[in-house]
Amino acid sequence: MTLTVRRRSGRAPALADRLAALDQALDLARGRLDSGVVAEAERVAAKAGERLRLGDTHTVVALAGATGSGKSSLFNALAGGEVSQVGMRRPTTGVAHAAVWGTEDAGPLLDWLDVPRRHVVDAGADDALDGLVLLDLPDVDSVEERHRLEADRLVERVDLLVWVLDPQKYADAVVHDRYLAPLAGHADVLLVVLNQVDRLSSAARAGCLADLSRILDAEGLRGVPVVPSSARTGEGLPVLRRELAGRVSAKRTATARLAADLDTVAESMSAGCGGASDGIGRRERESLVEALTDAAGADQVIDAVERNHRLRARQATGWPFTRWVSRIRPDPARRLRLRATPSELVRTSLAGPSGVQRARVDSALRELSEQASAGLADPWPDVVRGATTRRRAELPDLLDRAVAGTDLEIGRRPRWWRVVGVLQ
């Protein structure tokens, strides 16, 4: 299940194709793969469809982090005002706040995110951020469970995550083990800010930044930008604004996030799809075709069509008396209800496959399914075998429809018949 993706201006069709492929994979996976894996894939598929319908006019960026990291102060500094309350006690941020740059209505997007507290920022002062929706999330280590659940919900839905860390807890296991490490495939939609660096000496700052980069590399997040900043002094804010402006202007962050989510889903589902089949061999294919041809009564049909052709030839080219006699003879094709105009909606009067012919078809199907499923991981061999027997009871009807829908050229009249008929 390969779910690759390209950019929205040439990426959205590929992403739509991947979502269609995921829907097909889910149809096969339900009841077969781990229910938790399937449920997560269904959640991602639903989220991706909803986010794509909302378009790429806005880019949703979330400031996430632990208590005391300075998220709200950084949020206010970027927004240019006291939008999110800065507190001194745990928990500080209990409800997400949104700051929206630009005049374009972000209401439907924020409704989907379920963020009621909204503030519109005049983008005239910084039009490079036009289209940015910045969220200040609740603390991920809040003592209030509902705050943590709210943060988790929005972390799953936003386009770009900015993790705000502080010098005292930049290596906090809660943030790294629960959030950053599982996002190893999302490096393109992550930024890390080491806030409050104004409290550190030059040597301590360099040491913290080096250690943080080492931790991120070990978690599979090599290349994620790390921005040292201070909401109090304004250090690092221009760099952070440039990073955000680049993501907003490119208008591809939303699809990049969805593509990364699909990569994660594909990897988790592939764990239940180990092994590979060499496919169906020529011998097994030909054996099945021969068994089905015999069960369909092909020899009887060929004989009837041949005798029908001879009968009509005598009627068209024989002596007048011979023609009259031939007209009272039974038509072998009509007796089998073989029509000049093929149609699967009518039934022939063929007897249907005998017990021996059915057994031959079953044997050919069994050999074919064993060949097709060789090398596949459980439960797929059983799925393949089940597919070959699912419509076994319908075999007579399917074969009859195949014969009735085949153009047997019963109505064909060679030109020389007319010439000979005139001479006779």
Side-chain angles (χ1 to χ4, degrees), residues 345-362:
L345 300 178
V346 299
R347 293 292 303 268
T348 72
S349 58
L350 290 165
S354 66
V356 173
Q357 290 170 329
R358 283 174 177 264
R360 186 182 174 193
V361 171
D362 289 344

Side-chain angles (χ1 to χ4, degrees), residues 339-376:
R339 299 161 57 98
T341 303
S343 173
E344 294 186 2
L345 300 178
V346 299
R347 293 292 303 268
T348 72
S349 58
L350 290 165
S354 66
V356 173
Q357 290 170 329
R358 283 174 177 264
R360 186 182 174 193
V361 171
D362 289 344
S363 176
L365 282 172
R366 188 162 49 251
E367 290 180 7
L368 183 140
S369 64
E370 292 297 331
Q371 176 72 21
S373 60
L376 298 180

Side-chain angles (χ1 to χ4, degrees), residues 65-69 71 90-94 137-142 144 147-148 151:
T67 305
S69 61
K71 288 187 295 82
R90 295 171 61 96
T92 301
T93 305
L137 302 190
D139 304 322
V140 297
D141 63 344
S142 173
E144 294 283 348
H147 295 174
R148 297 195 304 271

Side-chain angles (χ1 to χ4, degrees), residues 202-421:
S202 298
R205 175 189 301 195
C208 285
L209 289 172
D211 192 39
L212 177 56
S213 296
R214 179 190 59 77
I215 295 173
L216 293 175
D217 290 350
E219 292 171 338
L221 295 173
R222 183 182 299 274
V224 172
V226 178
V227 180
S229 73
S230 170
R232 187 174 65 85
T233 65
E235 180 183 351
L237 292 183
V239 175
L240 183 56
R241 283 196 176 93
R242 283 197 301 271
E243 286 281 353
L244 297 179
R247 308 296 180 101
V248 171
S249 62
K251 295 188 181 299
R252 66 171 185 264
T253 305
T255 52
R257 170 64 194 268
L258 296 177
D261 289 342
L262 289 176
D263 288 341
T264 302
V265 165
E267 184 176 353
S268 64
M269 294 184 73
S270 66
C273 303
S277 171
D278 294 332
I280 301 172
R282 180 177 178 179
R283 185 182 67 81
E284 289 79 15
R285 189 188 304 273
E286 291 178 349
S287 176
L288 178 60
V289 170
E290 290 175 3
L292 290 173
T293 301
D294 182 41
D299 290 341
Q300 188 178 0
V301 171
I302 291 171
D303 180 67
V305 171
E306 182 180 353
R307 289 191 289 120
N308 167 270
H309 186 77
R310 290 175 179 173
L311 177 63
R312 290 189 301 111
R314 286 194 296 270
Q315 292 173 352
T317 63
W319 293 93
F321 178 76
T322 304
R323 297 184 195 182
W324 180 81
V325 171
S326 65
R327 286 193 180 96
I328 65 175
R329 291 182 178 178
D331 184 343
R334 185 175 298 174
R335 290 178 63 183
L336 295 180
R337 299 182 65 183
L338 301 176
R339 299 161 57 98
T341 303
S343 173
E344 294 186 2
L345 300 178
V346 299
R347 293 292 303 268
T348 72
S349 58
L350 290 165
S354 66
V356 173
Q357 290 170 329
R358 283 174 177 264
R360 186 182 174 193
V361 171
D362 289 344
S363 176
L365 282 172
R366 188 162 49 251
E367 290 180 7
L368 183 140
S369 64
E370 292 297 331
Q371 176 72 21
S373 60
L376 298 180
D378 289 335
W380 302 110
D382 290 337
V383 174
V384 174
R385 286 189 286 269
T388 61
T389 59
R390 187 175 301 118
R391 303 184 70 181
R392 183 177 181 276
E394 302 176 42
L395 179 63
D397 184 60
L398 293 173
L399 292 175
D400 195 73
R401 287 167 55 186
V403 172
T406 300
D407 185 4
L408 300 173
E409 298 187 357
I410 292 177
R412 185 174 64 88
R413 296 177 63 86
R415 293 180 180 178
W416 65 269
W417 284 8
R418 186 183 183 110
V419 174
V420 175

Side-chain angles (χ1 to χ4, degrees), residues 15-202:
L15 188 58
D17 290 344
R18 294 186 69 186
L19 287 172
L22 178 58
D23 287 339
Q24 294 175 357
L26 284 171
D27 288 340
L28 292 171
R30 292 185 182 96
R32 299 185 178 106
L33 295 187
D34 180 78
S35 59
V37 172
V38 173
E40 175 64 13
E42 290 174 335
R43 186 193 64 77
V44 170
K47 182 194 78 168
E50 294 167 357
R51 182 64 183 93
L52 286 177
R53 282 193 292 272
L54 292 167
D56 60 2
T57 303
H58 295 92
T59 300
V60 184
V61 179
L63 299 182
T67 305
S69 61
K71 288 187 295 82
S72 298
S73 298
L74 191 62
F75 178 85
N76 290 333
L78 290 169
E82 292 293 322
V83 179
S84 184
Q85 181 181 0
V86 179
M88 298 301 294
R89 62 183 181 85
R90 295 171 61 96
T92 301
T93 305
V95 179
H97 295 66
V100 183
W101 276 256
T103 57
E104 193 74 28
D105 182 24
L109 181 58
L110 289 171
D111 290 341
W112 176 67
L113 293 168
D114 194 18
V115 177
R117 298 189 178 182
R118 309 169 185 182
H119 173 75
V120 177
V121 179
D122 182 10
D126 195 353
D127 56 5
L129 295 177
D130 191 359
L132 170 65
V133 176
L134 186 65
L135 304 182
D136 181 19
L137 302 190
D139 304 322
V140 297
D141 63 344
S142 173
V143 294
E144 294 283 348
E145 182 181 12
R146 60 188 178 89
H147 295 174
R148 297 195 304 271
L149 294 176
E150 176 70 359
D152 291 347
R153 182 183 68 83
L154 290 170
V155 163
E156 293 290 339
R157 290 199 166 199
V158 299
D159 304 328
L160 176 69
L161 283 163
V162 179
W163 285 95
V164 182
L165 309 176
D166 63 89
Q168 289 76 32
K169 296 187 294 183
Y170 69 84
D172 189 357
V174 172
V175 172
H176 286 274
D177 294 346
R178 187 176 176 186
Y179 296 99
L180 289 176
L183 291 171
H186 294 65
D188 291 341
V189 290
L190 281 176
L191 291 175
V192 174
V193 173
L194 183 62
N195 199 22
Q196 303 172 1
V197 293
D198 56 304
R199 300 179 180 180
L200 301 174
S201 64
S202 298

